[in-house]
């Protein structure tokens, strides 16, 4: 009865725009009564995992893998969460990016307080860059939201679909909607993203059911940057399960790895810049330099710029060539814009970058946000040659690429070097199979090269290491693809 009265009050207050502090508290207390207040929760199900920033074409939905098993356990008082999931790539082969794999891939993603790590095997892998997101994800769950809203004196105002409660957790703003039955139907926050700026993270909860006195949604959909990164059909919920996480010493003492850039001269005036997860290639022209790819973020961009300056101190970087719009390959472009370089990219990327780069960047103001500058683009549809002073770079859109619709490779005709991203990544010895999707991408690129009669001797891949063309030939032949039957 009291609960009903309280919601009647909330509804009445809806006619006013904002809700008084005491009433905001009452709404939270009533919602806590409706939903239950477990100390910890464990929920399981199946669904789909979307890969943020890995769309097949710019502006389209994130590509999805199937989640065949999912269990997440959260302990609200110790700010700990353990997410265990098994994913498989869909069949037939899907389009778009994200690291390809064969068979099943298991993940165990953990956070405890300020420490985040992954532990799919025996050895924990520190994941300090993920800590902020994993912490806030605890407060984005229905019961987590109620607890954090209460502790942080959330304010309330009437919104569409119910009362919207808001609070700050550190630098992050969190909103949540409570409907007229006292159920959390939606939570949202914003996280910094190198391409999208302050990126909306919105989670909707529906199909609430009672699980032994605790109400929990049976459908969870989280969108980041406008498209789902997770949808989950929840089949099992348990309240007050134990989650006693011990932060491993290796995680506690881990420091964020510094940006490391190594250089390898692969031809006269051509350097392969590696040292991290993503490579770049620097090319010297008579009066300027050209960088192929500025991956990840501002920090990586600064690293490769510094290396260029060390290798060729007296020439500016006039052009940056971008192979495709996946965020891990495009996150460092803005730093080159800030530095005054012209961006060369396939034509479908320009409107996407222009739109994405307009977003506010209050959470992580990069160099371009601090010193705004108009971007100069050179775009092309199928090919573009940058020929000057006896040096030539040939850019071609890769026909039939399953990884990205606007995927571009760069060919150095004199040196017979091919620079390519994601279609062929040389495998380290004993590396697990990357599966049928990766193989299809390699075969397609290989066949394109044959059709175009490009004479390639060396592959300078934007992941992995420089190899002779024969390595790619081997990877593209059917014998090597026996694992693709999985
Ligand atoms: Zn990619």
């Amino acid at each position: 009865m009291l609960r009903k009265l309280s919601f009647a009050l909330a509804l009445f207050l809806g006619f006013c725009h904002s809700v008084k502090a005491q009433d905001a508290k009452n709404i939270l207390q009533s919602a806590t009564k409706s939903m239950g207040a477990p100390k910890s929760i464990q929920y399981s199900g199946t669904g789909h995992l979307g890969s943020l920033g890995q769309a097949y074409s710019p502006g389209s939905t994130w590509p999805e893998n199937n989640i065949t098993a999912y269990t997440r356990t959260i302990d609200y008082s110790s700010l700990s969460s353990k997410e265990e999931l098994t994913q498989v790539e869909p069949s037939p082969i899907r389009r778009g990016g994200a690291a390809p794999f064969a068979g099943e891939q298991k993940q165990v993603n953990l956070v405890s307080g300020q420490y985040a790590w992954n532990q799919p095997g025996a050895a924990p892998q520190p994941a300090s860059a993920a800590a902020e997101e994993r912490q806030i994800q605890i407060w984005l769950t229905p019961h987590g939201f109620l607890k954090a809203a209460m502790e942080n004196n959330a304010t309330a105002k009437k919104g569409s679909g119910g009362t919207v409660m808001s609070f700050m957790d550190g630098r992050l703003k969190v909103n949540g909607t409570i409907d007229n039955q006292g159920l959390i139907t939606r939570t949202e926050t914003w996280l910094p993203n190198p391409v999208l700026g302050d990126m909306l993270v919105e989670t909707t909860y529906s199909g609430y059911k009672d699980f032994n006195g605790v109400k929990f949604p049976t459908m969870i959909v989280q969108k980041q940057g406008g498209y789902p990164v997770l949808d989950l059909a929840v089949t099992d919920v348990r309240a007050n399960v134990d989650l006693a996480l011990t932060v491993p010493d290796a995680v506690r003492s881990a420091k964020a790895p510094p940006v490391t850039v190594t250089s390898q001269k692969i031809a006269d005036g051509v350097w392969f810049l590696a040292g991290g997860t993503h490579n770049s290639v620097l090319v010297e022209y008579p009066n300027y330099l050209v960088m192929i790819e500025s991956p990840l973020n501002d920090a990586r961009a600064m690293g490769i710029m510094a290396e260029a300056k060390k290798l060729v101190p007296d020439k500016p970087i006039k052009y940056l060539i971008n192979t495709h719009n996946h965020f891990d390959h495009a996150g460092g472009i803005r730093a080159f814009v800030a530095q005054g370089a012209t961006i060369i990219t396939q034509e479908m990327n320009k409107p996407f970058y222009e739109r994405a780069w307009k977003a506010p960047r209050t959470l992580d103001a990069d160099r371009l946000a601090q010193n705004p500058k108009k971007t100069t683009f050179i775009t092309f549809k199928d090919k573009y040659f940058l020929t000057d002073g006896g040096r030539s770079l040939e850019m071609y859109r890769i026909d039939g690429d399953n990884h990205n619709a606007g995927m571009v490779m760069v060919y150095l005709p004199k040196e017979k070097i091919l620079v390519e991203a994601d279609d062929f990544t040389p495998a380290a010895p004993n590396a697990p199979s990357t599966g049928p999707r990766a193989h299809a991408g390699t075969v397609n690129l290989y066949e394109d090269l044959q059709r175009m009669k490009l004479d390639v001797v060396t592959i300078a891949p934007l992941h992995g290491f420089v190899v002779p063309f024969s390595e790619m030939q081997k990877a593209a032949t059917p014998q090597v693809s026996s694992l693709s039957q999985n």
Side-chain angles (χ1 to χ4, degrees):
M1 187 60 195
L2 203 66
R3 196 183 310 167
K4 271 190 186 143
L5 271 175
S6 173
F7 283 110
L9 180 71
L11 280 177
F12 166 75
L13 286 164
F15 294 104
C16 330
H17 187 64
S18 64
V19 179
K20 281 191 205 130
Q22 186 53 48
D23 300 326
K25 215 168 184 181
N26 289 343
I27 294 168
L28 282 175
Q29 278 167 352
S30 302
T32 305
K33 263 186 212 143
S34 315
M35 303 242 322
K39 286 188 179 61
S40 64
I41 200 130
Q42 181 178 73
Y43 55 96
S44 307
T46 55
H48 303 92
L49 193 68
S51 285
L52 172 69
Q54 299 292 323
Y56 173 64
S57 58
S60 65
T61 185
W62 313 134
E64 291 183 343
N65 287 343
N66 300 330
I67 300 174
T68 54
Y70 183 101
T71 297
R72 187 155 175 228
T73 313
I74 300 170
D75 183 85
Y76 293 111
S77 53
S78 63
L79 308 184
S80 303
S81 164
K82 180 181 192 181
E83 181 184 52
E84 301 161 272
L85 70 89
T86 304
Q87 58 169 329
V88 295
E89 293 199 1
S91 180
I93 293 168
R94 67 157 173 80
R95 299 191 299 187
F101 60 90
E104 287 186 334
Q105 190 186 73
K106 288 185 194 301
Q107 291 180 15
V108 182
N109 306 319
L110 302 123
V111 65
S112 182
Q114 60 180 304
Y115 299 104
W117 70 103
N118 303 332
Q119 199 151 10
Q125 301 159 357
S128 50
E132 185 181 41
E133 176 175 352
R134 288 186 192 172
Q135 281 169 34
I136 203 72
Q137 289 281 8
I138 293 177
W139 302 141
L140 298 178
T141 60
H143 296 96
F145 177 82
L146 283 176
K147 183 174 158 67
M150 197 74 93
E151 284 170 6
N152 291 288
N153 299 314
T155 58
K157 65 179 183 188
K158 198 69 197 163
S160 61
T163 308
V164 179
M165 315 283 305
S166 304
F167 64 89
M168 296 295 296
D169 181 60
R171 63 174 183 162
L172 302 181
K173 184 179 187 183
V174 181
N175 298 329
T177 305
I178 303 176
D179 73 4
N180 59 10
Q181 292 172 58
L183 301 173
I184 307 288
T185 55
R186 175 190 158 92
T187 58
E188 62 181 17
T189 191
W190 288 262
L191 290 169
N193 181 277
V195 175
L196 299 179
D198 296 352
M199 178 186 72
L200 178 62
V201 176
E202 49 189 329
T203 315
T204 52
Y205 299 105
S206 57
Y208 269 91
K209 277 190 185 152
D210 194 298
F211 295 89
N212 293 317
V214 170
K215 291 227 174 55
F216 203 81
T218 53
M219 183 50 71
I220 298 175
V221 179
Q222 182 167 100
K223 291 181 181 176
Q224 295 190 6
Y227 295 111
V229 292
L230 176 73
D231 72 61
L232 203 62
V234 175
T235 48
D236 191 31
V237 177
R238 289 160 207 224
N240 302 318
V241 285
D242 274 344
L243 179 69
L245 292 183
T246 308
V247 180
D249 287 342
V251 172
R252 210 172 272 278
S253 61
K255 294 201 170 59
V259 173
T260 306
V261 182
T262 60
S263 61
Q264 175 189 356
K265 187 173 174 180
I266 53 174
D268 271 349
V270 183
W271 293 269
F272 184 71
L273 306 184
T277 54
H278 292 65
N279 309 321
S280 301
V281 175
L282 180 69
V283 182
E284 183 180 5
Y285 279 69
N287 301 311
Y288 51 81
L289 301 173
V290 176
M291 187 71 80
I292 304 172
E293 211 80 316
S294 181
L296 299 173
N297 49 35
D298 253 28
R300 183 77 199 167
M302 299 303 289
I304 58 174
M305 278 187 222
E307 189 66 18
K309 186 114 199 122
K310 217 167 79 188
L311 293 165
V312 191
D314 55 339
K315 292 182 188 174
I317 302 172
K318 191 172 177 188
Y319 299 103
L320 171 73
I321 298 170
N322 162 236
T323 62
H324 65 304
N325 53 65
H326 286 168
F327 291 9
D328 60 323
H329 290 260
I333 301 177
R334 286 170 52 90
F336 277 80
V337 175
Q339 186 259 2
T342 292
I343 310 305
I344 307 179
T345 191
Q346 209 277 340
E347 63 183 16
M348 69 174 68
N349 300 326
K350 183 185 167 193
F352 172 72
Y353 290 143
E354 285 179 333
R355 197 172 57 245
W357 294 351
K358 274 195 194 126
R361 280 164 202 271
T362 61
L363 295 167
D364 201 351
D366 60 12
R367 294 177 80 219
L368 188 58
Q370 288 166 34
N371 296 292
K373 199 174 257 183
K374 198 177 161 359
T375 311
T376 310
F377 283 103
I378 291 175
T379 64
F380 61 96
K381 186 168 187 281
D382 290 317
K383 63 179 176 185
Y384 183 77
F385 290 7
L386 187 63
T387 305
D388 193 359
R391 164 81 71 197
S392 192
L393 286 175
E394 302 180 355
M395 286 150 258
Y396 299 98
R397 191 182 70 87
I398 300 174
D399 201 26
D401 193 271
N402 67 1
H403 185 91
N404 186 261
M407 181 64 97
V408 166
M409 59 181 167
V410 187
Y411 178 61
L412 286 71
K414 203 171 69 186
E415 298 81 0
K416 302 189 194 310
I417 294 171
L418 182 77
V419 181
E420 57 79 35
D422 296 343
D423 282 328
F424 170 61
T425 296
N430 304 320
S433 165
T434 46
R437 184 164 60 90
H439 184 254
T442 303
V443 170
N444 181 72
L445 173 56
Y446 180 73
E447 288 174 355
D448 272 8
L449 294 172
Q450 304 305 301
R451 200 160 42 234
M452 295 165 74
K453 299 190 166 43
L454 286 189
D455 182 11
V456 180
V457 171
T458 306
I459 303 268
L462 297 178
H463 296 284
F465 39 89
V466 177
V467 290
F469 183 59
S470 57
E471 290 292 314
M472 188 185 156
Q473 236 162 347
K474 236 193 293 176
T477 53
Q479 288 90 329
V480 190
S481 71
S482 57
L483 277 164
S484 70
Q485 313 302 323
N486 290 355

